[in-house]
Amino acid sequence: MAVLITDTCINCDACIEECPATAIVSADESPLTDAEYTYVKPEKCIECVDAAVPKCADVCPTEGCIVWDMPYIEEYNDHFTQSDDYVIRVHKKKGILSPAVNPQAYRENITKEQRENRVSVGETLKLYN
């Protein structure tokens, strides 16, 4: 994972259809209790590393709504498994699909500081004027 949708989300769900990894779900389908906005499943997010920008951020009409989070890799296992921001899916055979078990691709050019500060994807990749 590396992107998180913030509470500025207007629930237009434009990002859901654009996600090539099917990592984004509506608030109604979010695994979070009492979710109020669109949710990104960190165990599936690939940051669209094969594209110029993450497709969710490219179509999002709300400036600054989608931000960077830590890479979904073993080094940040506790960040994801011990956070109130996420509910990691449990696979029938593999168990919890934590970063230690199921690491995902991420953009290495996004700094740790940008991720820790949850900097806007659009701001970082110059999507806004």
Side-chain angles (χ1 to χ4, degrees), residues 12-25 38 55-56 59:
C12 70
D13 294 342
C15 55
I16 293 173
E17 293 298 318
E18 292 298 315
C19 181
T22 64
I24 305 174
V25 296
T38 308
K55 295 177 183 195
C56 56
V59 298

Side-chain angles (χ1 to χ4, degrees), residues 1-100:
M1 155 93 169
V3 300
L4 176 74
I5 297 176
T6 68
D7 60 2
T8 61
C9 176
I10 60 171
N11 291 315
C12 70
D13 294 342
C15 55
I16 293 173
E17 293 298 318
E18 292 298 315
C19 181
T22 64
I24 305 174
V25 296
S26 68
D28 293 340
E29 295 178 20
S30 172
L32 296 175
T33 304
D34 299 322
E36 296 180 18
Y37 45 88
T38 308
Y39 175 82
V40 179
K41 296 177 181 180
E43 69 275 9
K44 292 183 85 175
C45 180
I46 57 170
E47 292 189 15
C48 295
V49 295
D50 61 342
V53 297
K55 295 177 183 195
C56 56
D58 200 28
V59 298
C60 182
T62 308
E63 188 172 318
C65 174
I66 301 175
V67 298
W68 295 111
D69 199 359
M70 304 314 285
Y72 203 75
I73 57 175
E74 188 169 5
E75 180 179 348
Y76 299 105
N77 194 70
D78 289 349
H79 174 79
F80 290 98
T81 59
Q82 298 177 13
S83 170
D84 292 335
D85 292 332
Y86 304 106
V87 174
I88 309 304
R89 185 168 67 97
V90 177
H91 186 273
K92 289 179 184 178
K93 293 182 181 177
K94 296 179 184 178
I96 187 167
L97 295 177
S98 68

Side-chain angles (χ1 to χ4, degrees), residues 2-4 6 57 62-69 110 114-115 117-128:
V3 300
L4 176 74
T6 68
T62 308
E63 188 172 318
C65 174
I66 301 175
V67 298
W68 295 111
D69 199 359
I110 304 303
Q114 289 170 315
R115 291 175 183 280
N117 292 322
R118 293 191 168 166
V119 173
S120 163
V121 171
E123 178 184 323
T124 306
L125 299 177
K126 310 286 188 250
L127 292 178
Y128 313 126

